[in-house]
């Protein structure tokens, strides 16, 4: 006769995919119930730690764990590539943008230098601390990128989560009533642009996943090339530059490269890579639209909106092409 505790364990185990339950459910239930007296099982429940452990196992088993069916292997590969590409683009932006601002502020005379320093000296302790954190914490993207490619997964997770924290500050201030968000859609999409890759990195690069690797090049050279693309896009058209501009331009270059590579060597392309980039492109497209929409009818914003709309069109086109290429890759495999 099934006890209430056994039924509760089986309910929690339904978080696991069907293939995993078929192989391991009975063994897991026996393990959970082994040291418990049958007379007390109707008054017991799975502990919070056990539920959390099963939930984490459910994520791992759906993201390419050993012995997983093909669709889960592809899902895991796509999630890892999505996280790696996003972390790379965000790392380059987190390095280049502060360097360019420092260079501008300290080479344009005392007025620009004082204006820069005012962000850290003319406010209270809390705002000064937040300003410093917003400069330092995003460098965690670079830590996450390097650590991930050298298979230091715990450090990579920590770096990504720390780097994503500053995107929550505007939301926290609005909830406490300290400020009013004038562009809530843009703030929200920026938070998603940081937190979705960070969470994907934590979930997909689990202990059973294969080591992260780049399709080509070494980690240092790829990061340097991405920084060059980011810096060039910010310097050549500064009027259109915002927080999405650099990562989106890096995506455009990567998407073109991926499409050309898959057209010539489809068999050697990483499984799920095109769809992973398409998902990242969709996320960047949402952030780009949210950024440019409030400025469409603002007088004098033509240089900004012109560049942003051109980038929006390119993002939409390449995202669609990547989605089509990704479907063809999956069908071919």
């Amino acid at each position: 006769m099934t006890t209430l505790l056994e039924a509760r364990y089986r309910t929690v185990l339904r978080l696991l995919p069907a293939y995993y339950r078929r192989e391991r459910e009975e063994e897991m239930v026996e393990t959970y119930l082994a040291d418990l007296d049958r007379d007390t099982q109707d008054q017991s429940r799975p502990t919070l730690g056990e539920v959390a452990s099963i939930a984490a196992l459910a994520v791992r088993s759906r993201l390419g764990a050993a012995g997983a069916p093909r669709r889960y292997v592809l899902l895991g590969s796509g999630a890892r590539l999505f996280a790696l590409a996003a972390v790379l683009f965000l790392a380059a932006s987190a390095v280049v943008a502060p360097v360019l601002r420092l260079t501008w502020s300290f080479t344009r005379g005392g007025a620009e230098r004082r204006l820069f320093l005012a962000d850290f000296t003319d406010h209270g302790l809390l705002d000064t601390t937040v300003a410093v954190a917003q400069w330092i914490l995003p460098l965690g993207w670079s830590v996450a990128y390097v650590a991930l490619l050298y298979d230091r997964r715990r450090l990579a997770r920590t770096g990504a989560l720390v780097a994503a924290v500053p995107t929550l500050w505007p939301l926290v201030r609005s909830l406490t009533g300290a400020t009013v968000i004038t562009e809530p859609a843009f703030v929200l999409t920026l938070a998603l642009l940081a937190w979705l890759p960070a969470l994907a990195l934590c979930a997909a690069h689990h202990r059973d996943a294969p080591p992260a690797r780049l399709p080509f090049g070494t980690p240092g050279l790829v990061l340097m090339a991405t920084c060059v693309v980011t810096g060039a896009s910010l310097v050549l058209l500064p009027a259109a530059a915002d927080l999405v501009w650099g990562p989106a331009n890096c995506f455009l270059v990567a998407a073109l490269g991926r499409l050309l590579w898959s057209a010539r060597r489809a068999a050697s392309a990483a499984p799920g890579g095109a769809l992973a980039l398409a998902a990242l492109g969709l996320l960047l497209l949402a952030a780009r639209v949210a950024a440019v929409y409030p400025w469409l009818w603002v007088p004098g914003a033509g240089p900004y909106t012109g560049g942003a709309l051109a980038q929006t069109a390119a993002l939409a086109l390449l995202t669609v092409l990547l989605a089509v290429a990704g479907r063809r890759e999956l069908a071919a495999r």
Side-chain angles (χ1 to χ4, degrees):
M1 179 178 176
T2 302
T3 63
L4 185 57
L5 180 59
E6 180 180 345
R8 287 168 174 165
Y9 272 119
R10 292 187 185 278
T11 299
V12 176
L13 289 174
R14 291 185 67 84
L15 293 172
L16 300 170
Y19 85 91
Y20 200 93
R21 292 202 311 273
R22 284 194 300 268
E23 297 176 0
R24 303 289 303 276
E25 182 175 1
E26 297 303 324
E27 177 186 349
M28 295 177 74
V29 170
E30 290 178 4
T31 301
Y32 284 130
L33 300 177
D35 298 328
L36 299 176
D37 186 82
R38 187 175 182 85
D39 295 334
T40 63
Q41 289 184 15
D42 286 338
Q43 287 78 43
S44 302
R45 294 177 180 275
T47 66
L48 184 60
E50 290 170 339
V51 174
S53 176
I54 293 171
L57 178 60
V59 172
R60 292 200 307 273
S61 57
R62 283 183 168 86
L63 293 176
R70 174 178 174 273
R71 65 179 181 275
Y72 293 129
V73 172
L74 292 175
L75 179 62
S77 175
R80 286 186 286 275
L81 290 169
F82 166 82
L84 179 59
V87 167
L88 170 61
F89 300 158
L90 293 170
S93 183
V95 170
V96 171
V99 169
L100 290 179
R101 187 179 174 192
L102 283 171
T103 302
W104 174 270
S105 299
F106 285 88
T107 58
R108 294 288 172 169
E112 286 290 339
R113 184 166 57 252
R114 286 190 295 272
L115 183 63
F116 170 78
L117 295 174
D119 291 339
F120 305 95
T121 58
D122 293 353
H123 305 284
L125 178 61
L126 177 60
D127 288 340
T128 299
T129 303
V130 170
V132 173
Q134 288 176 331
W135 271 77
I136 295 176
L137 295 186
L139 296 176
W141 293 119
S142 301
V143 175
Y145 167 77
V146 174
L148 191 59
L149 289 172
Y150 285 95
D151 208 25
R152 300 288 300 275
R153 304 187 189 195
R154 180 174 296 180
L155 179 59
R157 297 187 197 106
T158 302
L161 292 174
V162 167
V165 167
T167 62
L168 297 178
W169 179 242
L171 299 173
V172 172
R173 285 179 64 86
S174 67
L175 292 176
T176 59
T179 59
V180 176
I181 299 178
T182 57
E183 298 178 7
F186 183 48
V187 172
L188 181 59
T189 53
L190 279 183
L192 290 175
L193 184 58
W195 282 99
L196 287 181
L199 295 176
L201 187 153
C202 294
H205 288 279
H206 50 79
R207 64 171 179 265
D208 298 326
R213 65 181 182 87
L214 293 166
F216 60 89
T218 61
L221 286 177
V222 171
L223 179 59
M224 184 182 299
T226 309
C227 288
V228 170
V229 173
T230 302
S233 65
L234 295 176
V235 171
L236 294 178
L237 197 57
D242 57 15
L243 295 177
V244 188
W245 182 252
N249 284 325
C250 291
F251 167 82
L252 295 178
V253 174
L256 283 172
R258 171 68 195 204
L259 289 171
L260 293 174
W261 176 267
S262 61
R264 297 183 59 184
R265 302 183 181 184
S268 61
L275 289 179
L277 276 179
L280 180 55
L282 189 61
L283 187 58
L284 286 166
L285 181 61
R288 165 51 61 219
V289 171
V292 72
Y293 181 78
W295 295 90
L296 291 178
W297 297 277
V298 175
Y304 170 71
T305 56
L309 289 175
Q311 191 182 66
T312 301
L315 282 171
L317 176 61
L318 289 179
T319 298
V320 171
L321 292 177
L322 283 169
V324 172
R327 282 184 59 85
R328 289 178 178 175
E329 287 177 6
L330 295 184
R333 290 177 184 274

